[in-house]
Amino acid sequence: MNLVVLQNWLDNASFAILFLTMLVYWGGAAFPNLPYLAALGTAGMAIANLGIATLLGARWIEAGYFPLSNLYESLFFLTWGITAVHLIAENSSRSRLVGVATAPVAMAITAFATMTLPSQMQASEPLVPALKSNWLMMHVSVMMLSYSALMVGSLLAIAFLIVTRGQNIQLQGSSVGTGGYRSNGYRLHKATELISQPPTPAVENNGFARFETSSNGNGNGNTAVLNLVTTPESQAVASAEPLSPQRLSLAETLDNISYRIIGLGFPLLTIGIIAGGVWANEAWGSYWSWDPKETWALITWLVFAAYLHARITRGWQGRSPAILASAGLLVVWVCYLGVNLLGKGLHSYGWFF
């Protein structure tokens, strides 16, 4: 089969599959009692991932170089990365809400590459001298994978904010950093010891303040009693639609997976920036030239470095880091696509205005 015809068929098929997959995930969110929809969504993402991988492989064979030299190729590589990270996140979280957030983004990127880009930008062309290097695969592929992971992590952070309705809740999962572990409301004490602790702020416990006491002799003397006491402030918070246990469990899962996916994307971004500096020195004689793409890559690195620093060392959890990660999604898009559409520089392969 002609490889060009195969590529044209695969890019349209990938769009159609991702569109149907998006509808399946949205239908599963609207009708959670239909369990087979989750399996269909996962299968759709896996088929799309395989189709895009085949497209990129055919492109590689046809052109003779790794397919990351123009905007069309990089968009499909980005979509492949998003679907791959999605499958990892969904397998870890067992939540179909991951697909509700990632499927429309993957579908939109595929639609943009297939239907919006002019045909001359979709065709493969001989590489310019600066791109005839093994660094093309090493630098660009790592950067694109980091964008994929950071986008998925940021999308899950947005999903977390939607699930929690923007409320500031206390999380007890393993995604809370070193400085952020919170008391779970009870500790073991000696049978004769009476302990009273200031209540944890009600806003961090979804509307309830917790006090702890030990046995006062009426019991068997070996167990501690945990009493839930509501305060006026906690009653006010509780009256403002407290989250259900299901929402709290889902929110903790989304927060955990978002944190771990961003934790995967950040070192990839770091390695990609370092590799880009080495390649730039080899191609242009300078490690750093403050090109728009380089500047925004640094801004992206700083945003997600602040996110990880806040979680690991400052103990941020819940709403605050989710807002920072959500802002990171916009920064990643400006870094990847915005600077190519709005200005020219050394990384101008995607500029067409």
Side-chain angles (χ1 to χ4, degrees):
M1 177 183 288
N2 188 304
L3 291 179
V4 175
V5 175
L6 177 62
Q7 293 170 40
N8 292 335
W9 184 86
L10 285 173
D11 61 8
N12 287 282
S14 299
F15 164 73
I17 292 170
L18 287 170
F19 178 74
L20 293 175
T21 302
M22 178 190 70
L23 296 180
V24 167
Y25 275 114
W26 286 3
F31 305 100
N33 294 327
L34 300 177
Y36 62 87
L37 289 181
L40 282 178
T42 303
M45 275 292 193
I47 293 171
N49 180 271
L50 181 61
I52 293 172
T54 305
L55 185 155
L56 293 173
R59 189 92 168 184
W60 194 348
I61 295 173
E62 178 210 354
Y65 55 81
F66 194 70
L68 276 175
S69 64
N70 60 26
L71 183 59
Y72 174 83
E73 296 168 352
S74 72
L75 285 169
F76 271 101
F77 192 88
L78 177 68
T79 307
W80 177 84
I82 290 175
T83 56
V85 175
H86 160 89
L87 292 172
I88 296 172
E90 188 174 64
N91 181 69
S92 301
S93 65
R94 304 293 180 182
S95 172
R96 71 182 66 181
L97 196 60
V98 176
V100 174
T102 58
V105 174
M107 185 274 297
I109 296 173
T110 306
F112 177 72
T114 304
M115 302 177 183
T116 303
L117 293 182
S119 56
Q120 62 268 24
M121 291 194 66
Q122 298 184 21
S124 59
E125 297 178 352
L127 291 177
V128 298
L131 296 179
K132 293 180 179 179
S133 170
N134 290 331
W135 288 105
L136 173 64
M137 180 188 300
M138 299 173 64
H139 164 61
V140 184
S141 62
V142 173
M143 289 296 293
M144 297 305 299
L145 288 175
S146 72
Y147 291 158
S148 300
L150 294 175
M151 285 180 184
V152 172
S154 298
L155 288 169
L156 295 180
I158 295 173
F160 169 86
L161 293 174
I162 294 173
V163 167
T164 60
R165 306 192 190 103
Q167 296 182 28
N168 192 21
I169 64 172
Q170 181 182 14
L171 301 175
Q172 300 291 346
S174 59
S175 65
V176 182
T178 304
Y181 287 105
R182 303 292 192 267
S183 170
N184 58 7
Y186 61 89
R187 292 202 307 267
L188 295 177
H189 304 288
K190 294 179 180 179
T192 57
E193 185 181 5
L194 180 63
I195 302 295
S196 179
Q197 239 182 273
T200 307
V203 70
E204 292 188 350
N205 288 283
N206 198 32
F208 295 96
R210 293 181 289 195
F211 292 87
E212 50 194 352
T213 60
S214 65
S215 174
N216 56 10
N218 295 330
N220 57 16
N222 296 320
T223 60
V225 179
L226 175 64
N227 294 326
L228 285 177
V229 181
T230 58
T231 63
E233 294 82 2
S234 67
Q235 290 174 354
V237 175
S239 64
E241 294 188 58
L243 302 179
S244 66
Q246 292 81 5
R247 275 182 174 262
L248 288 172
S249 177
L250 179 58
E252 188 165 82
T253 298
L254 290 172
D255 180 80
N256 193 354
I257 297 301
S258 172
Y259 170 60
R260 295 177 186 279
I261 294 297
I262 291 175
L264 170 66
F266 181 76
L268 289 175
L269 179 65
T270 304
I271 295 171
I273 291 175
I274 294 173
V278 175
W279 187 15
N281 184 64
E282 179 184 294
W284 300 310
S286 173
Y287 287 99
W288 195 270
S289 58
W290 295 105
D291 178 74
K293 177 76 78 171
E294 296 173 350
T295 303
W296 277 97
L298 177 61
I299 294 173
T300 304
W301 189 91
L302 291 174
V303 168
F304 286 101
Y307 169 88
L308 293 174
H309 172 74
R311 294 202 67 138
I312 295 173
T313 66
R314 301 296 298 174
W316 283 22
Q317 53 90 41
R319 181 177 61 185
S320 297
I323 293 174
L324 183 58
S326 302
L329 178 65
L330 176 62
V331 175
V332 171
W333 272 114
V334 172
C335 176
Y336 168 62
L337 198 58
V339 294
N340 294 108
L341 299 181
L342 302 177
K344 277 194 171 183
L346 297 174
H347 300 75
S348 60
Y349 64 82
W351 188 86
F352 60 89
F353 285 159

